[in-house]
Amino acid sequence: MKRREFLTKTGAAGVAGAAAASSLAAPAVAQKRTEMVVVSTWPRDFPGLGTGAQRLSQRISDMTDGRIKVEYFAASERVGAFDSFDEVASGNAQAYHAADYYWKGKHPGWAYFTAVPFGLSYTEINAWIRFGGGQQLWDELAGQFGLKCMMAGNTGCQMGGWFNKEITSADDLKGLKMRIPGLGGDVMAKLGASPVSLPGGQIYENLVSGAIDATEWVGPWNDSFMKFYEAAKYYYYPGFHEPGSMLAFGVNASWWGKLSKTDQLIIESAASAENDIMMAEYNAKSGSALASLIKDQGVKLRKFNDDVYDSFGDATEEVFEGVRAHSDLSKKIDDSFRKARKDLGAWSKISDQAYVAQRNRVLGV
Ligand code: CA
């Protein structure tokens, strides 16, 4: 505004002033400021998810020296966590940072763009999105809702969850009220549990009050802040339901289409950087957090046995049948995902997986 007042005043000063104003006006147009409201599904300052979304917003601002002015709202600061989608699709806000599987009620295809049961690891989903046709399918799905989505973080492989009793067979899951969103929740329902989808900020109170018996959230680093161990001591691994949960930056497509190529690239680059940084932070902090949970909080670490895992596998296939029957697009996404999972799984087996197993064996890790 000050700049505009200055231009108006100099313009009113006479012919010489008007010439000065027009010479200043050209760069002012090229440097057009853009307002960008970002909403998210995470509590403010929540480690990893919230801080990652905030870091991404700040990075866009910093990369443009404030020319893209990002105003960030954590969950419930502008709209509720699960209202983020509609806020952006409607154009009330320009972008959300979220887990796209929260929108599976709108279309089951969304689940594939966070994580699905027996799905892809961090490195695998990056390969599928960037080089396996995943981004094109994500664009097709998001386009139906007026959105453009991109990768913007990852938690890595998640833990199986917190239980107040041991799970030694699929029968132990029957009647269990568990917070588990996405298709993982549908798998639990097939096994007789009652899944609920609660935003992060509401899980603890429901677990402590007994409204739910079990919950999954993320992994040791995030979960330690949630204090779930106060109500559920058994901490199971590995989670079948979220092997590499990818977070999304979902942008209003109409707004996106009006941005310059430069601004689109800046936003994409910032999101891509966060996709990398968030994963590094989760990996760096999870091991020590797990050790502390066991040593300081008396958490009992347990591994799902093969029988329980086989039950997860059978129920997962039933869930996928339902997803494929939903629409042509769901089937197309599932076909692409399955092809990627087969190719990438075979390669992971003789590369990362084989190497880490041998390294840890030799070193006794
Ligand atoms: Ca989770």
Side-chain angles (χ1 to χ4, degrees):
M1 287 306 281
K2 279 182 180 166
R3 182 183 181 85
R4 198 165 297 152
E5 281 167 19
F6 168 76
L7 293 176
T8 308
K9 280 177 187 167
T10 53
V15 176
S22 66
S23 67
L24 284 168
V29 170
Q31 297 286 309
K32 194 177 139 208
R33 285 172 67 91
T34 304
E35 306 269 328
M36 185 180 193
V37 171
V38 176
V39 292
S40 93
T41 50
W42 322 119
R44 181 162 288 275
D45 296 332
F46 191 84
L49 301 167
T51 54
Q54 290 161 221
R55 186 167 46 207
L56 166 56
S57 298
Q58 187 63 48
R59 185 175 295 264
I60 293 168
S61 226
D62 290 347
M63 284 174 84
T64 58
D65 201 20
R67 189 172 48 72
I68 298 181
K69 183 169 175 278
V70 183
E71 202 175 356
Y72 176 85
F73 295 91
S76 300
E77 289 180 358
R78 181 183 171 100
V79 290
F82 294 160
D83 294 323
S84 299
F85 184 99
D86 291 337
E87 187 73 353
V88 176
S90 68
N92 282 342
Q94 280 67 54
Y96 65 70
H97 191 276
D100 268 353
Y101 67 3
Y102 287 142
W103 329 130
K104 82 176 173 70
K106 295 176 186 292
H107 193 295
W110 284 111
Y112 292 82
F113 301 103
T114 303
V116 293
F118 287 79
L120 307 173
S121 68
Y122 165 72
T123 52
E124 290 171 345
I125 202 165
N126 279 8
W128 179 50
I129 294 294
R130 294 195 196 278
F131 291 99
Q135 184 68 56
Q136 288 84 344
L137 290 164
W138 201 4
D139 287 347
E140 187 175 342
L141 173 64
Q144 293 185 2
F145 296 88
L147 295 167
K148 159 69 189 172
C149 297
M150 58 200 83
M151 295 193 286
N154 201 298
T155 67
C157 191
Q158 299 202 358
M159 292 290 284
W162 298 84
F163 298 83
N164 57 19
K165 62 174 187 180
E166 290 196 77
I167 305 298
T168 55
S169 77
D171 280 348
D172 293 327
L173 300 169
K174 287 196 168 72
L176 207 69
K177 285 173 286 179
M178 181 172 183
R179 183 272 179 189
I180 174 169
L183 295 179
D186 295 345
V187 171
M188 281 295 184
K190 293 269 183 207
L191 295 171
S194 302
V196 292
S197 186
L198 294 167
Q202 294 171 25
I203 304 173
Y204 175 83
E205 66 200 52
N206 279 277
L207 191 64
V208 168
S209 74
I212 55 173
D213 306 307
T215 185
E216 70 79 55
W217 175 231
V218 182
W221 177 44
N222 271 179
D223 294 7
S224 62
F225 293 102
M226 304 291 256
K227 297 189 173 9
F228 297 142
Y229 50 78
E230 291 180 1
K233 283 283 184 203
Y234 296 99
Y235 197 21
Y236 272 86
Y237 77 97
F240 72 93
H241 61 304
E242 296 194 60
S245 294
M246 179 175 78
L247 289 320
F249 200 50
V251 182
N252 178 279
S254 153
W255 180 80
W256 178 256
K258 289 177 196 139
L259 292 179
S260 66
K261 184 71 182 165
T262 302
D263 286 352
Q264 288 182 348
L265 283 170
I266 286 170
I267 292 169
E268 282 179 341
S269 300
S272 188
E274 187 53 43
N275 197 58
D276 171 356
I277 296 165
M278 190 188 289
M279 184 69 261
E281 191 171 21
Y282 271 99
N283 277 334
K285 295 179 176 173
S286 290
S288 56
L290 179 61
S292 170
L293 281 169
I294 294 168
K295 182 170 173 285
D296 304 327
Q297 308 301 341
V299 168
K300 298 177 194 309
L301 184 67
R302 294 286 185 275
K303 188 178 183 181
F304 286 127
N305 65 37
D306 287 354
D307 286 346
V308 172
Y309 237 81
D310 287 344
S311 300
F312 288 148
D314 292 343
T316 295
E317 279 309 304
E318 285 181 43
V319 167
F320 277 129
E321 278 175 29
V323 171
R324 291 171 64 83
H326 171 271
S327 58
D328 287 346
L329 181 55
S330 287
K331 184 174 177 302
K332 197 158 75 165
I333 294 169
D334 190 66
D335 283 344
S336 174
F337 155 77
R338 277 169 193 269
K339 182 178 182 303
R341 182 174 63 177
K342 193 174 175 198
D343 292 349
L344 295 163
W347 172 236
S348 296
K349 190 173 174 181
I350 62 161
S351 56
D352 286 357
Q353 196 185 324
Y355 165 70
V356 172
Q358 285 291 25
R359 183 194 63 191
N360 287 355
R361 183 187 63 79
V362 171
L363 299 178
V365 173

